[in-house]
Amino acid sequence: MEKIVFVKSDIRHYVKTVISEKIEKLKNFIEFTLEASRDIKKTPKYDSMREEMQEEIYQMQRQLGALNDLKRNMSKVLNTSTEKIQLGSLVITNKARFYISVSLGEFFFEGDRFYAISPESPMAKKMMGMKSGDAFTLNNIHQEIVEVI
């Protein structure tokens, strides 16, 4: 079986790009919703419609804040190669590929499935300090660490 080579800096760049794109989309949607709320004509349902739009804008602004936090946290993620799992490690197990960085969840990079997980997640906490060849069990799922990049 041929070994797949992953370039961590490319994956890191991809995650940062995904976050930036989500921020831009959300900013555009907030602006669109703000403009739409200004264009609502006085009708019997004017107040309730405007109130609903304000609530939607508030929720989007909270999401934007969370995305900006992810972007800030990504700047703390190291891009150096290590033997033991830590913040910035790319961990290949016999079941999945984890990028210990920010809580972005599942993503696909060059056709391969990865999970960007926060160092505060139960999975990352379980793996911290481990190295290639170690094994662990979480939620009754046994995994062996194949490689740490």
Side-chain angles (χ1 to χ4, degrees), residues 93-95 133-145:
T93 72
N94 61 328
K95 304 250 194 258
D134 289 347
F136 65 95
T137 302
L138 183 67
N139 297 332
N140 294 322
I141 299 172
H142 183 75
Q143 296 190 56
E144 295 169 16
I145 298 169

Side-chain angles (χ1 to χ4, degrees), residues 7-16 19 73-80 85-92 96-105 107 113-119 121 123-124 127-128 149:
V7 179
K8 186 165 62 170
S9 60
D10 291 349
I11 293 169
R12 181 176 190 267
H13 178 72
Y14 179 78
V15 168
K16 288 174 90 171
I19 293 169
N73 290 339
M74 268 309 289
S75 67
K76 300 173 189 170
V77 175
L78 305 174
N79 199 33
T80 55
I85 297 172
Q86 64 182 26
L87 178 64
S89 292
L90 179 60
V91 183
I92 313 298
R97 298 170 192 92
F98 301 97
Y99 182 43
I100 315 291
S101 54
V102 294
S103 184
L104 188 63
F107 68 95
R113 178 183 304 188
F114 291 85
Y115 296 92
I117 61 174
S118 160
S121 70
M123 179 68 74
M127 293 189 294
M128 287 294 186
I149 303 170

Side-chain angles (χ1 to χ4, degrees), residues 60-83:
M60 287 187 288
Q61 287 172 333
R62 286 182 55 207
Q63 289 175 0
L64 185 60
L67 284 169
N68 280 320
D69 286 346
L70 286 184
K71 187 175 183 176
R72 240 184 332 277
N73 290 339
M74 268 309 289
S75 67
K76 300 173 189 170
V77 175
L78 305 174
N79 199 33
T80 55
S81 196
T82 61
E83 285 186 26

Side-chain angles (χ1 to χ4, degrees), residues 7-66:
V7 179
K8 186 165 62 170
S9 60
D10 291 349
I11 293 169
R12 181 176 190 267
H13 178 72
Y14 179 78
V15 168
K16 288 174 90 171
T17 301
V18 167
I19 293 169
S20 293
E21 287 173 356
K22 286 182 177 214
I23 287 171
E24 281 309 305
K25 279 183 189 174
L26 202 51
K27 281 180 178 177
N28 290 338
F29 199 62
I30 290 171
E31 187 57 37
F32 172 80
T33 307
L34 280 169
E35 286 179 31
S37 74
R38 288 185 208 113
D39 291 343
I40 295 175
K41 304 291 182 232
K42 294 267 185 194
T43 65
K45 294 186 177 183
Y46 171 79
D47 288 336
S48 65
M49 286 173 58
R50 195 166 173 100
E51 202 171 295
E52 283 179 34
M53 292 178 104
Q54 287 298 85
E55 180 61 29
E56 187 70 26
I57 290 167
Y58 172 73
Q59 294 300 331
M60 287 187 288
Q61 287 172 333
R62 286 182 55 207
Q63 289 175 0
L64 185 60

